[in-house]
Amino acid sequence: TVYIDSIMSSKDTKTKALKAAAATLSQNHKKAGKTRTKAKFYRPKTLRLARNPKYVVSTKEQFTQKMDKYAIVKKPLTSETAMKKIEDHNTLVFIVDIRSNKRQIKAAVESLYDVKVVRVNTMIRPDFQKKAFVKLASDNDALEVASKIGIV
């Protein structure tokens, strides 16, 4: 009788297991979320392909114009303080391109007006224009250069 009972119980367990398997396959189980152990979330690293354009949209050369001496020096400044600088400190005052640096300003003024420049000081005004104070060498007279330009 013990042998028969064990055979019967094995059949019952087999049918129970089959029923349980069918039930788990038929049900729509939700996957449990990952338990986070840190407060900071790091974005997962994904594949980042390099750009492979079909054609060039634009080049930088189209937008940047050549900075020559005429583009660097826009105009001389003729205010009272600029005139005082010309007379007292042998210094010319110009409005220059905002992208130009002191070396470019020095080279442009030297080639435009045939003078020797000692020093260039620059400042950006509140209206976002760059003002350049160009100190001339002692052998060049700023008043003479200003009259040649047509300021005085």
Side-chain angles (χ1 to χ4, degrees), residues 77-145:
L77 211 60
T78 57
S79 62
E80 282 185 38
T81 53
M83 293 300 159
K84 192 167 177 65
K85 286 258 187 210
I86 290 170
E87 293 164 5
D88 298 344
H89 302 290
N90 203 32
T91 303
L92 294 170
V93 185
F94 295 100
I95 298 294
V96 295
D97 193 289
I98 198 152
R99 295 168 296 173
S100 59
N101 59 34
K102 291 182 182 184
R103 285 185 214 94
Q104 290 172 332
I105 295 165
K106 181 179 178 178
V109 171
E110 282 180 347
S111 67
L112 281 171
Y113 305 116
D114 298 321
V115 291
K116 180 79 176 112
V117 175
V118 176
R119 174 176 64 237
V120 176
N121 289 344
T122 59
M123 65 171 278
I124 295 177
R125 303 191 322 180
D127 60 348
F128 292 103
Q129 287 187 319
K130 188 180 270 191
K131 188 195 288 190
F133 301 95
V134 180
K135 177 134 175 95
L136 303 181
S138 57
D139 57 321
N140 296 113
D141 187 27
L143 197 59
E144 191 178 296
V145 176

Side-chain angles (χ1 to χ4, degrees), residues 43-77:
R43 196 167 48 82
K45 301 276 190 284
T46 56
L47 180 65
R48 292 184 181 173
L49 296 170
R51 289 183 173 186
N52 189 13
K54 299 284 183 262
Y55 59 92
V56 179
V57 176
S58 65
T59 58
K60 192 175 178 183
E61 292 154 8
Q62 290 174 340
F63 300 108
T64 58
Q65 51 182 269
K66 187 85 171 146
M67 291 281 285
D68 61 341
K69 58 186 176 183
Y70 303 107
I72 290 169
V73 178
K74 289 184 180 176
K75 61 185 177 184
L77 211 60

